[in-house]
Amino acid sequence: GDSVTQMEGPVTLSEEAFLTINCTYTATGYPSLFWYVQYPGEGLQLLLKATKADDKGSNKGFEATYRKETTSFHLEKGSVQVSDSAVYFCALNPLTGNTPLVFGKGTRLSVIA
Amino acid sequence: NAGVTQTPKFRILKIGQSMTLQCTQDMNHNYMYWYRQDPGMGLKLIYYSVGAGITDKGEVPNGYNVSRSTTEDFPLRLELAAPSQTSVYFCASSPGLAGVETQYFGPGTRLLVL
């Protein structure tokens, strides 16, 4: 079935550092791709999404580009802040099966001042 | 506008006990979902509902039951708690099918079965 693989965490960065969290997927067809963020003690929130190849999703300084040729949707931010500390989940919307979203395992990011 | 609310926040159960996790949304969304999140893992769908009176199984439904008598409420029932059900449970809702429409998540219920 469809699946999502994320880089293992935790990731620890200093404030203003560049962030990349890798995400690759295996899927039938061309699903929509998502990044969700979970701040401490809260539920998940949609961060950004892309619905077709070469689309770029962006929000709050984060970006991710849907790369069909490499089946990837890496999350990037040019300058992280302490407030970006959270768990980030990559997900896809499978075209078959009984779940609307397939999630990766999550990557914990800690940003230190 | 409260969004998606869940109660309780935390609960300890003994093996064999039962309990109901409550979920309410005030956004008039048709679709509602229950997920579990095990440590170091992504979310797995337990059950979902496309409207009042309609529910269906997700990836990991065994040991759980749901009902959807109103648009707002979607309780999750554990009948005979087992240690394997120790997890964090998230309820979510969306106006249409998730993946097409954005899902909105509650803050979660942490359950420990001993």
Side-chain angles (χ1 to χ4, degrees):
Chain A
D2 294 2
S3 64
V4 174
T5 302
Q6 287 182 239
M7 64 185 286
E8 295 282 333
V11 174
T12 302
L13 293 174
S14 297
E15 217 168 14
E16 299 184 5
F18 184 86
L19 169 71
T20 300
I21 299 178
N22 290 337
C23 171
T24 56
Y25 67 90
T26 303
T28 303
Y30 302 108
S32 296
L33 301 174
F34 307 84
W35 277 100
Y36 277 82
V37 58
Q38 184 181 26
Y39 297 106
E42 299 183 12
L44 280 71
Q45 304 172 25
L46 179 65
L47 181 59
L48 54 85
K49 68 178 183 182
T51 58
K52 61 183 188 296
D54 299 325
D55 264 4
K56 178 185 283 189
S58 61
N59 186 24
K60 299 182 181 180
F62 291 89
E63 292 183 340
T65 301
Y66 191 141
R67 302 282 188 203
K68 182 179 66 173
E69 59 279 2
T70 54
T71 61
S72 64
F73 192 55
H74 305 322
L75 183 68
E76 297 181 336
K77 187 174 185 182
S79 176
V80 294
Q81 305 300 313
V82 172
S83 57
D84 293 326
S85 298
V87 181
Y88 293 81
F89 292 90
C90 187
L92 64 82
N93 164 225
L95 302 179
T96 60
N98 64 345
T99 184
L101 288 174
V102 173
F103 287 88
K105 294 183 179 181
T107 302
R108 181 176 299 278
L109 169 67
S110 294
V111 181
I112 53 177
Chain B
N1 191 343
V4 180
T5 57
Q6 293 182 239
T7 57
K9 283 186 168 49
F10 177 67
R11 182 77 182 268
I12 299 175
L13 281 184
K14 294 183 180 177
I15 295 171
Q17 285 185 319
S18 62
M19 76 165 293
T20 299
L21 283 67
Q22 301 292 345
C23 174
T24 300
Q25 54 94 6
D26 63 0
M27 297 174 281
N28 201 33
H29 287 169
N30 286 324
Y31 289 72
M32 296 188 74
Y33 314 82
W34 274 106
Y35 291 91
R36 59 179 286 171
Q37 182 185 25
D38 297 329
M41 303 294 289
L43 278 69
K44 296 291 187 183
L45 183 67
I46 304 171
Y47 271 96
Y48 68 100
S49 169
V50 303
I54 306 170
T55 63
D56 209 347
K57 296 177 181 179
E59 300 171 277
V60 290
N62 292 342
Y64 307 94
N65 279 299
V66 294
S67 59
R68 184 97 180 269
S69 57
T70 67
T71 298
E72 295 78 20
D73 299 307
F74 190 41
L76 177 72
R77 179 86 178 158
L78 282 71
E79 290 294 350
L80 289 170
S84 62
Q85 294 178 304
T86 293
S87 191
V88 181
Y89 292 84
F90 289 100
C91 180
S93 72
S94 60
L97 185 63
V100 177
E101 301 280 355
T102 298
Q103 277 189 314
Y104 296 84
F105 284 80
T109 293
R110 186 176 297 274
L111 177 65
L112 180 60
V113 181
L114 300 175

